[in-house]
Amino acid sequence: MSPTSEPTIDIGIAESDRLSVAGELERVLADTYTLYLKTHNDHWNVTGPMFNTLHLMFEDQYNELWMAVDLIAERIRSLGEFAPGSYGQFAALTSIAEADGVPTAEQMLADLVAGHEAVTRTARTAF
């Protein structure tokens, strides 16, 4: 084995299944990271009479999403694959569209609900 090659993974899953699971988790990771980024952006840019409430809620949510991103990426690595980690890779894998401009607080909420639903659909497909 050369210093750059990965060891053989033998965890009781056929290689094709292991690669399939890792590929599905890459999509879950991309959706989760994209939702993290959107939530963090909304935290920075929310305005209006509910600013403080939404600002704090968005912070709680992006922190939870950040923890999830790390766990998903580590699961991909435990399957012997490298986790995607660039904006380009995430953009190619995600089902969540970027927001145009800076939405209103109400639009942010609706968009984040749709983003959570998208992550859920992607995770259900992976399972």
Side-chain angles (χ1 to χ4, degrees):
M1 175 169 59
S2 71
T4 58
S5 67
E6 288 291 303
T8 301
I9 302 293
D10 183 9
I11 56 174
I13 301 172
E15 182 169 355
S16 63
D17 293 338
R18 183 179 56 78
L19 295 174
S20 177
V21 169
E24 292 298 325
L25 286 175
E26 288 177 358
R27 295 183 190 291
V28 174
L29 177 63
D31 276 1
T32 305
Y33 190 89
T34 302
L35 183 58
Y36 157 79
L37 191 59
K38 288 180 97 163
T39 306
H40 210 153
N41 182 54
D42 290 348
H43 166 80
W44 292 327
N45 292 305
V46 67
T47 60
M50 291 187 57
F51 167 80
N52 194 49
T53 301
L54 293 177
H55 184 77
L56 293 172
M57 183 184 75
F58 294 157
E59 182 175 13
D60 286 343
Q61 288 185 352
Y62 76 69
N63 283 326
E64 290 293 327
L65 289 162
W66 182 254
M67 296 300 292
V69 162
D70 194 53
L71 292 172
I72 298 163
E74 288 173 356
R75 178 62 61 181
I76 293 167
R77 287 297 299 133
S78 74
L79 291 168
E81 296 301 305
F82 290 101
S86 71
Y87 292 120
Q89 288 173 308
F90 289 144
L93 291 165
T94 190
S95 68
I96 299 174
E98 290 186 19
D100 292 328
V102 178
T104 65
E106 292 80 10
Q107 290 168 330
M108 287 176 179
L109 289 169
D111 196 36
L112 292 178
V113 167
H116 280 278
E117 291 172 344
V119 171
T120 301
R121 285 190 303 273
T122 301
R124 286 192 183 281
T125 299
F127 291 130

